[in-house]
Amino acid sequence: MVLTALFSLIVWELIDVQILNPTAFAAFGESQRVRTESLSADRGTIYDRNGIELAVSTPQKSIFTDPLLVEDVAAESAYLAPILGVPAADLAAKLGADNRFTYLARQV
């Protein structure tokens, strides 16, 4: 009797999943494996009628840090300021922030 009850319960679940309510489980499965992601494309080179480049895209890098890992804010901002071309006071404010991520310089 117990085996028959368990088998009936399994059959009922199969009927529910496959016949009575398949769209809910299909939508749930699709939401776990399908996502939309926007990819930013690089701009293409612009040429004149003679094939000479008029405008060229140049990839740029950004420099960031975790301010909570910085031990000596004054020394590190004084060291990085001439390298990044940013005033030491601005870097000290960014390195002394109370968060886990901050940009020091963008598009360098």
Side-chain angles (χ1 to χ4, degrees), residues 4 9 16 19 21 24 26 28 34 42 55 75 80-83 98:
T4 304
L9 180 64
D16 183 42
I19 298 172
N21 202 5
F28 179 69
V34 177
D42 293 334
L80 290 173
I83 297 170
D98 190 26

Side-chain angles (χ1 to χ4, degrees), residues 41-92:
D42 293 334
R43 293 179 146 190
T45 304
I46 299 174
Y47 299 97
D48 70 355
R49 65 182 177 171
N50 298 320
I52 298 172
E53 294 177 341
L54 294 176
V56 180
S57 295
T58 307
Q60 304 270 323
K61 302 284 184 190
S62 294
I63 299 171
F64 60 91
T65 187
D66 181 353
L68 297 180
L69 298 177
V70 177
E71 294 176 3
D72 189 3
V73 173
E76 300 213 13
S77 61
Y79 177 76
L80 290 173
I83 297 170
L84 299 176
V86 178
D90 292 347
L91 282 178

Side-chain angles (χ1 to χ4, degrees), residues 1-9:
M1 297 274 292
V2 173
L3 288 175
T4 304
L6 288 174
F7 184 72
S8 299
L9 180 64

